[in-house]
């Protein structure tokens, strides 16, 4: 059986597969070595969810651990409202919704479904603007796309050639630690 993949790494993998490798190498070191202001701000904004303090409603489940044996994924959801059957992923700021973020939300959706929850709607909530961005429930084609993506994740080899994308690398929190890019990141 394949090892379970953390849902939180799906977006990172699309950004740069090598960043998953670097994260695993440096995860036991001081976060100050690689965390930039956006990650720190996001982590701080997420603390209310992690501590289950963002809602007083008995219908709201916060920071629920989820798993999908079918997809081989695990993680935590931010908010599931039992009354409205809605799944909400909170982000501090969303200038644009990237495919990897959508994959994360789809993965959370499929985990909840497999665990027996009814999910009628999925959305992102932007904390900084207090805006909700609704997404369509994933279709069978979307699920196949997610499965293919998970397979590419599973088959990744960090020794594979990395295509350096200056804009991505310049905005990568690991660029200062990366042997593929020789510039300081935008956060330095």
């Amino acid at each position: 059986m394949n090892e379970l993949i953390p849902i939180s790494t799906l977006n990172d993998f699309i950004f740069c597969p090598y960043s998953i490798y670097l994260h695993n190498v440096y995860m036991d070191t001081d976060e100050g070595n690689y965390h930039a202001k956006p990650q720190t701000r996001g982590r701080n904004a997420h603390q209310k969810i992690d501590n289950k303090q963002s809602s007083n409603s008995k219908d709201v489940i916060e920071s629920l651990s989820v798993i999908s044996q079918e997809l081989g994924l695990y993680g935590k959801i931010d908010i599931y409202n039992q009354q409205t059957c809605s799944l909400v992923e909170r982000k501090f700021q969303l200038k644009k919704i990237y495919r990897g973020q959508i994959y994360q939300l789809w993965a959370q959706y499929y985990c909840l479904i497999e665990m027996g929850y009814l999910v009628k709607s999925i959305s992102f909530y932007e904390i900084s603007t207090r805006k909700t961005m609704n997404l369509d429930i994933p279709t069978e084609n979307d699920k196949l796309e997610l499965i293919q993506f998970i397979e590419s994740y599973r088959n990744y080899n960090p020794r594979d050639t990395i295509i350096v994308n200056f804009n991505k690398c310049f905005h990568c929190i690991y660029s200062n630690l990366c042997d593929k890019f020789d510039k300081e990141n935008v956060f330095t």
Side-chain angles (χ1 to χ4, degrees), residues 60-172:
V60 173
I61 300 173
E62 299 171 294
S63 193
L64 175 69
S65 294
V66 295
I67 189 168
S68 169
Q69 293 294 336
E70 177 187 0
L71 297 176
L73 300 171
Y74 75 96
K76 285 192 176 191
I77 62 153
D78 286 348
I79 295 174
Y80 175 74
N81 187 312
Q82 297 175 98
Q83 186 175 20
T84 61
C85 301
S86 56
L87 168 63
V88 179
E89 172 70 11
R90 293 166 44 109
K91 300 286 186 191
F92 182 77
Q93 189 173 37
L94 278 172
K95 293 178 182 174
K96 177 182 176 182
I97 298 175
Y98 292 97
R99 198 70 179 165
Q101 293 167 319
I102 292 170
Y103 286 165
Q104 286 179 298
L105 195 53
W106 287 355
Q108 293 171 5
Y109 166 83
Y110 286 116
C111 286
L112 282 173
I113 295 297
E114 189 173 320
M115 292 171 61
Y117 288 86
L118 174 63
V119 182
K120 294 181 182 177
S121 67
I122 61 174
S123 61
F124 287 104
Y125 177 76
E126 185 176 38
I127 297 167
S128 62
T129 63
R130 297 183 178 171
K131 290 183 183 174
T132 299
M133 291 146 260
N134 295 312
L135 270 68
D136 292 333
I137 295 290
T139 65
E140 273 305 307
N141 284 339
D142 294 334
K143 186 175 184 180
L144 290 174
E145 179 183 331
L146 179 60
I147 289 169
Q148 289 172 340
F149 172 72
I150 293 167
E151 279 306 306
S152 68
Y153 185 113
R154 287 195 185 289
N155 295 324
Y156 174 71
N157 181 342
R159 292 186 186 126
D160 290 347
T161 302
I162 298 293
I163 298 169
V164 174
N165 175 322
F166 181 84
N167 191 42
K168 280 186 175 185
C169 293
F170 189 57
H171 289 88
C172 178

Side-chain angles (χ1 to χ4, degrees), residues 9-19 22 34 36 38-39 96 98-101 103 149 162-178 180-188:
T9 63
L10 298 179
N11 186 50
D12 295 337
F13 186 79
I14 284 182
F15 182 79
C16 175
Y18 197 61
S19 73
L22 291 171
Y34 59 88
Q39 286 75 28
K96 177 182 176 182
Y98 292 97
R99 198 70 179 165
Q101 293 167 319
Y103 286 165
F149 172 72
I162 298 293
I163 298 169
V164 174
N165 175 322
F166 181 84
N167 191 42
K168 280 186 175 185
C169 293
F170 189 57
H171 289 88
C172 178
I173 63 172
Y174 299 107
S175 69
N176 300 343
L177 307 169
C178 182
K180 312 290 184 207
F181 190 68
D182 62 357
K183 306 272 187 256
E184 295 286 317
N185 67 29
V186 70
F187 309 111
T188 307

